[in-house]
């Protein structure tokens, strides 16, 4: 297996952690990288404009993917114009465990 670190390019979020994904070394193709990355990150592959090997190299073809080494960092650059729809942080009242009455208490 080839282990890669992948994240979504989101400049508006303070925390943008990488996740680790595994690819079978027998199937090191651009298509497989895109499929696994999107599946793990919960992104529609149609919304991916490009895959960037950090800091500044665009992956374009199977040969680019075949040259990747363990723990290299990749970013998915999305084409969606309103990224807030994809990565909207829930408000406090939308989070599970939120108690509206408790939030109105004054101390």
């Amino acid at each position: 297996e080839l282990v890669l670190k992948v994240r979504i390019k989101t400049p508006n979020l303070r925390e943008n952690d990488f996740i680790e994904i595994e690819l079978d070394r027998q199937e090191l193709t651009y298509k497989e990288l895109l499929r696994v990355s999107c599946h793990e990150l919960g992104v529609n592959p149609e919304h991916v404009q490009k895959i960037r090997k950090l800091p500044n190299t665009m992956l374009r073809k199977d040969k680019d993917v075949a040259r990747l080494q363990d723990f290299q960092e990749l970013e998915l650059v999305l084409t969606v114009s309103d990224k807030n729809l994809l990565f909207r942080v829930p408000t406090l009242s939308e989070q599970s465990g939120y108690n509206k009455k408790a939030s109105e208490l004054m101390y």
Side-chain angles (χ1 to χ4, degrees):
E1 290 183 336
L2 174 67
V3 179
L4 300 170
K5 295 167 62 176
V6 183
R7 71 179 180 189
I8 299 169
K9 183 181 183 317
T10 53
N12 57 342
L13 293 180
R14 276 188 269 164
E15 290 189 32
N16 190 16
D17 295 331
F18 288 93
I19 63 166
E20 291 182 354
I21 64 167
E22 297 86 23
L23 291 177
D24 185 344
R25 289 190 186 269
Q26 305 303 316
E27 297 182 33
L28 287 180
T29 64
Y30 184 89
K31 184 177 180 178
E32 183 66 4
L33 172 62
L34 180 63
R35 185 192 70 76
V36 172
S37 298
C38 288
H39 175 75
E40 292 290 329
L41 291 167
V43 173
N44 185 335
E46 294 176 1
H47 293 155
V48 177
Q49 178 183 358
K50 60 185 171 183
I51 300 175
R52 177 183 297 137
K53 180 176 74 170
L54 295 178
N56 58 5
T57 304
M58 184 173 65
L59 298 178
R60 302 172 296 138
K61 55 191 175 190
D62 293 348
K63 285 185 178 184
D64 297 341
V65 175
R67 286 190 289 268
L68 294 174
Q69 310 235 342
D70 276 328
F71 301 103
Q72 284 198 290
E73 296 178 345
L74 306 176
E75 255 183 358
L76 300 184
V77 179
L78 304 181
T79 59
V80 177
S81 59
D82 188 0
K83 292 181 179 73
N84 292 330
L85 292 177
L86 288 176
F87 304 106
R88 190 176 65 80
V89 177
T91 63
L92 185 60
S93 62
E94 294 172 332
Q95 294 176 5
S96 63
Y98 175 76
N99 184 334
K100 184 171 177 11
K101 290 187 180 189
S103 70
E104 295 172 350
L105 293 176
M106 297 192 61
Y107 294 96

